[in-house]
PDB file of all heavy atoms in Angstrom:
ATOM      1  N   ARG A   8      -5.658   5.467  14.503  1.00 98.00           N
ATOM      2  CA  ARG A   8      -6.181   6.409  15.526  1.00 98.00           C
ATOM      3  C   ARG A   8      -6.403   5.558  16.778  1.00 98.00           C
ATOM      4  O   ARG A   8      -6.594   4.389  16.680  1.00 98.00           O
ATOM      5  CB  ARG A   8      -7.436   6.987  14.796  1.00 98.00           C
ATOM      6  CG  ARG A   8      -8.495   6.088  14.199  1.00 98.00           C
ATOM      7  CD  ARG A   8      -8.931   4.914  14.902  1.00 98.00           C
ATOM      8  NE  ARG A   8     -10.067   4.358  14.324  1.00 98.00           N
ATOM      9  CZ  ARG A   8     -10.880   3.544  15.129  1.00 98.00           C
ATOM     10  NH1 ARG A   8     -10.580   3.149  16.241  1.00 98.00           N
ATOM     11  NH2 ARG A   8     -11.888   2.887  14.544  1.00 98.00           N
ATOM     12  N   ALA A  10      -9.820   5.790  19.414  1.00 98.00           N
ATOM     13  CA  ALA A  10     -10.921   6.542  19.514  1.00 98.00           C
ATOM     14  C   ALA A  10     -11.809   6.168  20.797  1.00 98.00           C
ATOM     15  O   ALA A  10     -12.844   5.545  20.743  1.00 98.00           O
ATOM     16  CB  ALA A  10     -11.750   6.090  18.287  1.00 98.00           C
ATOM     17  N   PRO A  11     -11.155   6.572  21.910  1.00 97.00           N
ATOM     18  CA  PRO A  11     -11.951   6.320  23.211  1.00 97.00           C
ATOM     19  C   PRO A  11     -13.285   6.998  23.383  1.00 97.00           C
ATOM     20  O   PRO A  11     -13.498   8.288  22.904  1.00 97.00           O
ATOM     21  CB  PRO A  11     -10.983   6.701  24.250  1.00 97.00           C
ATOM     22  CG  PRO A  11     -10.073   7.768  23.564  1.00 97.00           C
ATOM     23  CD  PRO A  11     -10.000   7.399  22.037  1.00 97.00           C
ATOM     24  N   SER A  12     -14.195   6.347  24.087  1.00 96.00           N
ATOM     25  CA  SER A  12     -15.494   6.968  24.421  1.00 96.00           C
ATOM     26  C   SER A  12     -15.326   7.426  25.917  1.00 96.00           C
ATOM     27  O   SER A  12     -14.812   6.721  26.693  1.00 96.00           O
ATOM     28  CB  SER A  12     -16.610   5.948  24.360  1.00 96.00           C
ATOM     29  OG  SER A  12     -16.613   5.407  23.136  1.00 96.00           O
ATOM     30  N   GLU A  44     -14.906   9.846  20.998  1.00 96.00           N
ATOM     31  CA  GLU A  44     -16.230   9.358  20.541  1.00 96.00           C
ATOM     32  C   GLU A  44     -17.228   9.611  21.677  1.00 96.00           C
ATOM     33  O   GLU A  44     -17.643   8.682  22.425  1.00 96.00           O
ATOM     34  CB  GLU A  44     -16.154   7.869  20.174  1.00 96.00           C
ATOM     35  CG  GLU A  44     -14.919   7.712  19.063  1.00 96.00           C
ATOM     36  CD  GLU A  44     -15.343   6.622  18.089  1.00 96.00           C
ATOM     37  OE1 GLU A  44     -15.737   5.453  18.577  1.00 96.00           O
ATOM     38  OE2 GLU A  44     -14.950   6.732  16.872  1.00 96.00           O
ATOM     39  N   TYR A 195     -22.790   4.299  16.958  1.00 95.00           N
ATOM     40  CA  TYR A 195     -21.338   4.167  16.917  1.00 95.00           C
ATOM     41  C   TYR A 195     -20.839   3.541  15.585  1.00 95.00           C
ATOM     42  O   TYR A 195     -19.977   4.062  15.048  1.00 95.00           O
ATOM     43  CB  TYR A 195     -20.898   3.097  18.011  1.00 95.00           C
ATOM     44  CG  TYR A 195     -19.653   2.454  17.752  1.00 95.00           C
ATOM     45  CD1 TYR A 195     -18.431   3.101  17.741  1.00 95.00           C
ATOM     46  CD2 TYR A 195     -19.657   1.032  17.496  1.00 95.00           C
ATOM     47  CE1 TYR A 195     -17.318   2.519  17.357  1.00 95.00           C
ATOM     48  CE2 TYR A 195     -18.379   0.458  17.023  1.00 95.00           C
ATOM     49  CZ  TYR A 195     -17.262   1.214  17.059  1.00 95.00           C
ATOM     50  OH  TYR A 195     -16.078   0.484  16.663  1.00 95.00           O
ATOM     51  N   VAL A 199     -18.373   5.915  13.444  1.00 98.00           N
ATOM     52  CA  VAL A 199     -17.026   5.464  13.341  1.00 98.00           C
ATOM     53  C   VAL A 199     -16.516   5.378  11.880  1.00 98.00           C
ATOM     54  O   VAL A 199     -15.410   5.675  11.599  1.00 98.00           O
ATOM     55  CB  VAL A 199     -16.789   4.262  14.263  1.00 98.00           C
ATOM     56  CG1 VAL A 199     -17.273   3.015  13.393  1.00 98.00           C
ATOM     57  CG2 VAL A 199     -15.325   4.092  14.742  1.00 98.00           C
ATOM     58  N   ILE A 211      -6.949   0.071  11.108  1.00 98.00           N
ATOM     59  CA  ILE A 211      -7.808   0.228  12.348  1.00 98.00           C
ATOM     60  C   ILE A 211      -7.394  -0.929  13.287  1.00 98.00           C
ATOM     61  O   ILE A 211      -7.588  -2.045  13.078  1.00 98.00           O
ATOM     62  CB  ILE A 211      -9.246   0.132  12.105  1.00 98.00           C
ATOM     63  CG1 ILE A 211      -9.711   1.394  11.319  1.00 98.00           C
ATOM     64  CG2 ILE A 211     -10.043  -0.044  13.374  1.00 98.00           C
ATOM     65  CD1 ILE A 211     -11.097   1.596  10.928  1.00 98.00           C
ATOM     66  N   ARG A 213      -7.588  -2.395  17.058  1.00 97.00           N
ATOM     67  CA  ARG A 213      -8.521  -2.219  18.229  1.00 97.00           C
ATOM     68  C   ARG A 213      -8.776  -3.509  18.817  1.00 97.00           C
ATOM     69  O   ARG A 213      -8.331  -4.631  18.208  1.00 97.00           O
ATOM     70  CB  ARG A 213      -9.788  -1.581  17.891  1.00 97.00           C
ATOM     71  CG  ARG A 213     -10.626  -2.388  16.738  1.00 97.00           C
ATOM     72  CD  ARG A 213     -11.757  -1.493  16.358  1.00 97.00           C
ATOM     73  NE  ARG A 213     -12.573  -2.306  15.246  1.00 97.00           N
ATOM     74  CZ  ARG A 213     -13.481  -1.831  14.590  1.00 97.00           C
ATOM     75  NH1 ARG A 213     -13.857  -0.586  14.758  1.00 97.00           N
ATOM     76  NH2 ARG A 213     -14.052  -2.471  13.652  1.00 97.00           N
ATOM     77  N   HIS A 217     -14.509  -5.645  19.357  1.00 97.00           N
ATOM     78  CA  HIS A 217     -15.044  -4.917  18.260  1.00 97.00           C
ATOM     79  C   HIS A 217     -15.331  -5.667  16.994  1.00 97.00           C
ATOM     80  O   HIS A 217     -15.793  -5.230  16.074  1.00 97.00           O
ATOM     81  CB  HIS A 217     -14.389  -3.598  17.993  1.00 97.00           C
ATOM     82  CG  HIS A 217     -14.665  -2.580  18.951  1.00 97.00           C
ATOM     83  ND1 HIS A 217     -15.887  -1.919  18.978  1.00 97.00           N
ATOM     84  CD2 HIS A 217     -13.873  -2.039  19.837  1.00 97.00           C
ATOM     85  CE1 HIS A 217     -15.856  -0.881  19.911  1.00 97.00           C
ATOM     86  NE2 HIS A 217     -14.521  -1.074  20.486  1.00 97.00           N
ATOM     87  N   GLN A 224     -19.225  -2.327   9.687  1.00 98.00           N
ATOM     88  CA  GLN A 224     -18.603  -1.225   9.078  1.00 98.00           C
ATOM     89  C   GLN A 224     -18.041  -1.452   7.722  1.00 98.00           C
ATOM     90  O   GLN A 224     -18.181  -0.624   6.875  1.00 98.00           O
ATOM     91  CB  GLN A 224     -17.403  -0.935  10.242  1.00 98.00           C
ATOM     92  CG  GLN A 224     -17.929  -0.558  11.483  1.00 98.00           C
ATOM     93  CD  GLN A 224     -16.953  -0.280  12.654  1.00 98.00           C
ATOM     94  OE1 GLN A 224     -15.796  -0.322  12.343  1.00 98.00           O
ATOM     95  NE2 GLN A 224     -17.395  -0.305  13.931  1.00 98.00           N
TER      96      GLN A 224
HETATM   97  N1  LIG B 501     -15.268   4.262  20.797  1.00 50.41           N
HETATM   98  C1  LIG B 501     -14.996   2.963  20.676  1.00 50.41           C
HETATM   99  C2  LIG B 501     -14.624   2.415  21.936  1.00 50.41           C
HETATM  100  O1  LIG B 501     -14.121   3.198  22.893  1.00 50.41           O
HETATM  101  C3  LIG B 501     -13.915   2.857  19.575  1.00 50.41           C
HETATM  102  C4  LIG B 501     -13.870   1.704  18.902  1.00 50.41           C
HETATM  103  C5  LIG B 501     -13.115   1.663  17.740  1.00 50.41           C
HETATM  104  O2  LIG B 501     -11.832   1.616  17.884  1.00 50.41           O
HETATM  105  O3  LIG B 501     -13.626   1.621  16.650  1.00 50.41           O
HETATM  106  O4  LIG B 501     -14.568   1.155  22.112  1.00 50.41           O
END
Side-chain angles (χ1 to χ4, degrees):
R8 51 51 163 197
S12 302
E44 301 211 321
Y195 155 69
V199 82
I211 294 178
R213 61 185 174 192
H217 281 290
Q224 296 175 12

